[in-house]
Amino acid sequence: MKSNIITGLILSGGQGRRMEGADKGLLMLDQRTLVEHVIARLRPQVSALLINANRHLERYAAFGYPVVSDTFDGFAGPLAGLHAGLSTASTPWIATAPCDSPMLPRDLVARLYAAAQQHGAPLAVARTDDRLHPVFALVHRRVLPDLTAYLQDGDRKVGLWFTRIGGVEVSFDDQAEAFRNINTQSDLDALKERPPSFQENFS
Protein backbone atom coordinates (compact mmCIF):
# COMPACT_ATOMS: atom_id res chain seq x y z
CA MET A 1 0.00 0.00 0.00
CA LYS A 2 1.23 3.48 -0.87
CA SER A 3 0.24 5.42 2.23
CA ASN A 4 0.91 8.76 0.51
CA ILE A 5 -2.31 8.36 -1.48
CA ILE A 6 -4.57 8.17 1.57
CA THR A 7 -5.83 10.89 3.92
CA GLY A 8 -7.27 9.91 7.28
CA LEU A 9 -10.54 11.51 8.34
CA ILE A 10 -11.69 11.38 11.97
CA LEU A 11 -15.44 11.82 12.25
CA SER A 12 -16.23 14.06 15.23
CA GLY A 13 -19.19 15.94 13.84
CA GLY A 14 -22.07 14.30 15.68
CA GLN A 15 -24.39 15.69 18.34
CA GLY A 16 -23.65 13.07 21.01
CA ARG A 17 -27.34 12.53 21.66
CA ARG A 18 -26.82 9.36 23.70
CA MET A 19 -24.09 11.16 25.66
CA GLU A 20 -26.47 13.96 26.70
CA GLY A 21 -25.11 16.24 24.01
CA ALA A 22 -21.45 15.91 24.98
CA ASP A 23 -18.84 16.26 22.24
CA LYS A 24 -17.58 12.69 22.40
CA GLY A 25 -14.22 13.33 20.79
CA LEU A 26 -13.27 15.63 23.67
CA LEU A 27 -14.18 13.24 26.49
CA MET A 28 -11.26 12.00 28.57
CA LEU A 29 -9.91 8.45 28.77
CA ASP A 30 -6.53 7.64 30.34
CA GLN A 31 -5.56 11.33 30.55
CA ARG A 32 -6.15 11.87 26.83
CA THR A 33 -9.21 12.84 24.85
CA LEU A 34 -10.87 10.16 22.79
CA VAL A 35 -9.89 11.93 19.59
CA GLU A 36 -6.24 11.87 20.68
CA HIS A 37 -6.46 8.09 21.05
CA VAL A 38 -7.87 7.83 17.55
CA ILE A 39 -5.21 10.18 16.15
CA ALA A 40 -2.50 7.98 17.67
CA ARG A 41 -3.95 4.92 15.95
CA LEU A 42 -4.88 6.39 12.56
CA ARG A 43 -2.09 8.89 11.87
CA PRO A 44 0.69 6.28 11.28
CA GLN A 45 -1.50 4.58 8.66
CA VAL A 46 -2.01 7.60 6.38
CA SER A 47 -0.08 10.45 4.81
CA ALA A 48 -2.30 13.28 6.05
CA LEU A 49 -5.07 13.74 8.58
CA LEU A 50 -8.28 15.76 8.77
CA ILE A 51 -10.77 16.12 11.60
CA ASN A 52 -14.44 16.56 10.81
CA ALA A 53 -16.12 18.62 13.54
CA ASN A 54 -19.12 20.91 13.80
CA ARG A 55 -18.59 22.18 17.36
CA HIS A 56 -15.58 23.32 19.41
CA LEU A 57 -13.60 23.93 16.24
CA GLU A 58 -10.77 25.74 18.02
CA ARG A 59 -10.26 22.87 20.46
CA TYR A 60 -10.05 20.37 17.62
CA ALA A 61 -7.71 22.63 15.65
CA ALA A 62 -5.37 22.68 18.66
CA PHE A 63 -4.47 19.05 17.92
CA GLY A 64 -2.55 20.31 14.90
CA TYR A 65 -4.60 19.01 11.99
CA PRO A 66 -7.01 20.77 9.62
CA VAL A 67 -10.63 20.80 10.78
CA VAL A 68 -13.40 20.51 8.21
CA SER A 69 -17.08 21.07 8.97
CA ASP A 70 -20.17 19.74 7.24
CA THR A 71 -21.51 21.80 4.37
CA PHE A 72 -24.94 20.20 4.83
CA ASP A 73 -26.93 21.72 7.69
CA GLY A 74 -28.51 19.98 10.63
CA PHE A 75 -25.85 17.46 11.69
CA ALA A 76 -26.58 15.29 8.67
CA GLY A 77 -24.58 12.30 9.89
CA PRO A 78 -21.36 10.52 8.91
CA LEU A 79 -21.98 10.84 5.17
CA ALA A 80 -21.96 14.63 5.55
CA GLY A 81 -18.63 14.33 7.35
CA LEU A 82 -17.29 12.10 4.60
CA HIS A 83 -18.49 14.62 2.03
CA ALA A 84 -16.56 17.38 3.80
CA GLY A 85 -13.43 15.24 3.86
CA LEU A 86 -13.66 14.18 0.22
CA SER A 87 -14.20 17.82 -0.75
CA THR A 88 -11.04 18.88 1.09
CA ALA A 89 -8.50 16.08 0.73
CA SER A 90 -5.86 16.22 -1.98
CA THR A 91 -5.25 12.46 -2.02
CA PRO A 92 -7.34 10.03 -4.10
CA TRP A 93 -8.42 7.99 -1.08
CA ILE A 94 -9.92 8.86 2.33
CA ALA A 95 -9.89 6.49 5.30
CA THR A 96 -12.52 7.26 7.93
CA ALA A 97 -12.73 6.40 11.61
CA PRO A 98 -15.04 7.72 14.33
CA CYS A 99 -13.77 9.77 17.26
CA ASP A 100 -15.30 7.37 19.79
CA SER A 101 -13.43 4.13 18.95
CA PRO A 102 -10.05 4.45 20.66
CA MET A 103 -8.93 0.87 19.91
CA LEU A 104 -9.31 0.91 16.12
CA PRO A 105 -7.08 -1.62 14.29
CA ARG A 106 -3.51 -0.58 13.55
CA ASP A 107 -3.80 -2.31 10.16
CA LEU A 108 -7.25 -0.94 9.33
CA VAL A 109 -6.21 1.11 6.32
CA ALA A 110 -3.89 -1.48 4.80
CA ARG A 111 -6.56 -4.19 4.87
CA LEU A 112 -9.28 -1.95 3.49
CA TYR A 113 -6.99 -0.77 0.71
CA ALA A 114 -5.97 -4.33 -0.22
CA ALA A 115 -9.63 -5.35 -0.54
CA ALA A 116 -10.54 -2.28 -2.58
CA GLN A 117 -7.67 -2.98 -4.98
CA GLN A 118 -8.47 -6.68 -5.24
CA HIS A 119 -12.09 -6.04 -6.16
CA GLY A 120 -11.61 -2.79 -8.08
CA ALA A 121 -14.06 -1.16 -5.69
CA PRO A 122 -14.29 2.58 -4.93
CA LEU A 123 -15.17 1.84 -1.31
CA ALA A 124 -14.25 -0.75 1.32
CA VAL A 125 -15.89 -1.03 4.73
CA ALA A 126 -15.05 -3.03 7.85
CA ARG A 127 -17.24 -5.86 9.08
CA THR A 128 -17.16 -8.17 12.12
CA ASP A 129 -19.37 -11.26 12.10
CA ASP A 130 -22.69 -10.05 10.70
CA ARG A 131 -22.21 -6.44 11.74
CA LEU A 132 -21.12 -3.75 9.32
CA HIS A 133 -19.08 -0.82 10.65
CA PRO A 134 -19.80 1.86 8.03
CA VAL A 135 -17.80 4.63 9.72
CA PHE A 136 -14.64 2.53 9.32
CA ALA A 137 -14.22 2.84 5.59
CA LEU A 138 -11.86 3.61 2.73
CA VAL A 139 -13.43 5.73 0.02
CA HIS A 140 -12.14 6.98 -3.35
CA ARG A 141 -12.69 10.62 -4.23
CA ARG A 142 -14.32 9.71 -7.53
CA VAL A 143 -17.54 8.93 -5.65
CA LEU A 144 -17.89 12.54 -4.47
CA PRO A 145 -20.38 13.62 -7.18
CA ASP A 146 -22.65 10.67 -6.40
CA LEU A 147 -22.41 11.32 -2.65
CA THR A 148 -23.24 14.99 -3.20
CA ALA A 149 -26.34 14.09 -5.19
CA TYR A 150 -27.38 11.51 -2.60
CA LEU A 151 -27.16 14.04 0.23
CA GLN A 152 -28.86 16.77 -1.80
CA ASP A 153 -31.80 14.40 -2.29
CA GLY A 154 -32.13 14.24 1.48
CA ASP A 155 -30.85 10.69 1.87
CA ARG A 156 -28.73 9.91 4.92
CA LYS A 157 -28.60 6.09 5.19
CA VAL A 158 -24.99 5.00 5.00
CA GLY A 159 -25.62 1.35 4.17
CA LEU A 160 -27.87 2.16 1.23
CA TRP A 161 -25.29 4.48 -0.25
CA PHE A 162 -22.51 1.92 0.16
CA THR A 163 -24.62 -0.63 -1.74
CA ARG A 164 -25.38 1.93 -4.42
CA ILE A 165 -21.68 2.67 -4.87
CA GLY A 166 -20.66 -0.97 -5.00
CA GLY A 167 -18.59 -1.14 -1.83
CA VAL A 168 -16.81 -4.26 -0.64
CA GLU A 169 -16.99 -5.60 2.92
CA VAL A 170 -13.76 -6.56 4.70
CA SER A 171 -13.78 -9.02 7.59
CA PHE A 172 -12.07 -8.03 10.82
CA ASP A 173 -13.38 -10.94 12.87
CA ASP A 174 -9.88 -11.37 14.31
CA GLN A 175 -10.10 -7.88 15.87
CA ALA A 176 -13.76 -7.51 16.75
CA GLU A 177 -12.98 -5.76 20.06
CA ALA A 178 -11.09 -3.05 18.20
CA PHE A 179 -14.37 -1.62 16.91
CA ARG A 180 -15.78 -1.08 20.37
CA ASN A 181 -17.19 2.43 20.47
CA ILE A 182 -18.36 4.78 23.19
CA ASN A 183 -21.95 5.92 22.81
CA THR A 184 -22.98 6.43 26.42
CA GLN A 185 -21.46 7.38 29.74
CA SER A 186 -21.72 3.75 30.84
CA ASP A 187 -19.64 2.72 27.81
CA LEU A 188 -16.96 5.18 28.83
CA ASP A 189 -17.08 4.10 32.47
CA ALA A 190 -16.69 0.46 31.42
CA LEU A 191 -13.48 1.28 29.56
CA LYS A 192 -12.14 3.27 32.50
CA GLU A 193 -12.75 0.30 34.76
CA ARG A 194 -11.30 -2.31 32.39
CA PRO A 195 -8.90 -4.95 33.79
CA PRO A 196 -5.11 -4.47 33.52
CA SER A 197 -4.95 -6.89 30.58
CA PHE A 198 -6.87 -4.31 28.56
CA GLN A 199 -4.09 -1.76 28.96
CA GLU A 200 -2.21 -3.10 25.94
CA ASN A 201 -5.02 -1.87 23.73
CA PHE A 202 -3.99 1.69 24.51
CA SER A 203 -0.21 1.33 24.29
Side-chain angles (χ1 to χ4, degrees):
M1 182 187 72
K2 298 179 180 178
S3 62
N4 62 347
I5 64 172
I6 302 173
T7 295
L9 175 66
I10 299 176
L11 300 169
S12 303
Q15 291 179 286
R17 290 176 180 172
R18 285 184 282 178
M19 194 67 78
E20 298 182 356
D23 194 328
K24 290 195 291 184
L26 300 177
L27 296 176
M28 300 299 297
L29 176 67
D30 289 356
Q31 300 179 342
R32 290 196 293 178
T33 61
L34 290 181
V35 75
E36 286 179 284
H37 285 288
V38 177
I39 289 171
R41 286 295 178 104
L42 186 60
R43 182 64 185 91
Q45 303 185 48
V46 296
S47 60
L49 194 68
L50 300 171
I51 300 175
N52 166 239
N54 296 308
R55 299 181 290 167
H56 308 116
L57 304 186
E58 292 185 359
R59 290 190 63 186
Y60 279 110
F63 295 115
Y65 300 98
V67 178
V68 295
S69 298
D70 297 354
T71 57
F72 288 86
D73 295 333
F75 293 90
L79 286 182
L82 174 61
H83 179 272
L86 290 171
S87 300
T88 304
S90 58
T91 57
W93 291 93
I94 284 245
T96 67
C99 66
D100 61 355
S101 294
M103 298 183 293
L104 67 95
R106 299 184 190 277
D107 60 352
L108 173 72
V109 177
R111 290 169 67 171
L112 292 176
Y113 181 78
Q117 292 298 297
Q118 179 183 354
H119 296 277
L123 184 152
V125 61
R127 175 185 56 77
T128 56
D129 296 323
D130 295 328
R131 183 182 178 188
L132 202 64
H133 301 281
V135 287
F136 294 89
L138 181 72
V139 188
H140 198 279
R141 289 186 67 220
R142 69 177 182 266
V143 306
L144 179 57
D146 189 273
L147 177 58
T148 302
Y150 187 78
L151 289 168
Q152 286 175 341
D153 287 342
D155 292 315
R156 300 290 184 265
K157 293 182 179 179
V158 182
L160 288 178
W161 183 71
F162 282 2
T163 301
R164 163 175 163 160
I165 287 298
V168 60
E169 298 178 11
V170 184
S171 173
F172 281 84
D173 288 349
D174 58 315
Q175 298 187 62
E177 187 67 24
F179 297 90
R180 183 174 179 176
N181 66 322
I182 297 170
N183 282 318
T184 65
Q185 185 61 48
S186 61
D187 292 336
L188 183 60
D189 293 340
L191 274 184
K192 289 179 178 179
E193 297 170 1
R194 66 194 181 280
S197 61
F198 237 60
Q199 186 63 38
E200 63 185 38
N201 291 316
F202 294 90
S203 60

